Amino acid sequence: MSGKWGIGWRIRVGHTSEYNVEKIVKQVKDIPGVGYVMIGLSEGASGSRYIAPHSVLSKITRRATPGKKRDLFDEFATAFQAAGYKVLVYMATEGPSKLKHGAANAFDFDKKTKTAPSIENWKKYVKERYGSDDVNTLKKAYAEVIVKEYAERYGSQDDGWGVGHPS
């Protein structure tokens, strides 16, 4: 993609029903020179919410994904590839444990208890599956549980990946 430029979207999970994918593809077609699109699978720099269903996250924290209602990433990727664009996936690598931004920035942070149920649910899941919820285990679980499922599902629908704040 050398010498090309593109457009990216960071989509809020609570607003996935509002997107008209065909209309957006048509608008991008009207912009000369666009060669690729980057679609945020995670909700911007927040790694705790995703615009597509996930077998684990959709169960342990209902609001972390749109559930089975809509797979907006799949719709975007399918439509843009059919229109001849390269599709890049963006994910924030802090994952559901919010390793970079912390619990206070979680979508479900409770100011009274100073906790985020989504983080606690993820840590509980990781501890039960891996035997520990230390930082390295949380990173490993993020890669093996979250990233792996999406990579396997969308493997033929993406032309590359971009990640935010890896550590």
Side-chain angles (χ1 to χ4, degrees), residues 87-140:
V87 174
L88 304 178
V89 181
Y90 171 83
M91 286 181 74
T93 60
E94 73 174 353
S97 49
K98 301 287 289 174
L99 292 175
K100 178 176 169 98
H101 294 104
N105 291 296
F107 69 91
D108 60 349
F109 181 71
D110 183 325
K111 290 180 183 178
K112 291 179 185 176
T113 64
K114 304 229 183 290
T115 61
S118 60
I119 295 173
E120 300 309 314
N121 293 346
W122 174 246
K123 286 183 174 181
K124 179 181 175 192
Y125 171 83
V126 170
K127 189 161 189 159
E128 288 172 359
R129 181 167 176 187
Y130 290 84
S132 176
D133 65 355
D134 64 20
V135 170
N136 286 334
T137 305
L138 291 169
K139 290 177 182 181
K140 180 179 180 176

Side-chain angles (χ1 to χ4, degrees), residues 13-71:
V13 173
H15 299 274
T16 56
S17 64
E18 298 170 10
Y19 283 81
N20 180 330
V21 174
E22 291 79 26
K23 183 177 178 182
I24 293 170
V25 171
K26 185 180 178 320
Q27 289 172 340
V28 172
K29 281 182 173 182
D30 290 340
I31 304 170
V34 175
Y36 67 88
V37 294
M38 180 178 274
I39 304 161
L41 186 50
S42 64
E43 185 179 82
S46 173
S48 61
R49 297 183 87 188
Y50 299 84
I51 67 167
H54 189 279
S55 66
V56 172
L57 289 178
S58 297
K59 289 178 186 171
I60 66 172
T61 303
R62 194 171 44 98
R63 290 180 17 218
T65 72
K68 294 179 182 176
K69 294 177 190 170
R70 188 173 192 188
D71 186 338

Side-chain angles (χ1 to χ4, degrees), residues 21 25 37 39 51 71-89 154 156-159:
V21 174
V25 171
V37 294
I39 304 161
I51 67 167
D71 186 338
L72 190 57
F73 182 86
D74 179 61
E75 291 177 38
F76 265 117
T78 300
F80 274 110
Q81 282 191 328
Y85 294 93
K86 298 286 187 190
V87 174
L88 304 178
V89 181
Y154 303 122
S156 64
Q157 292 176 284
D158 68 74
D159 298 293

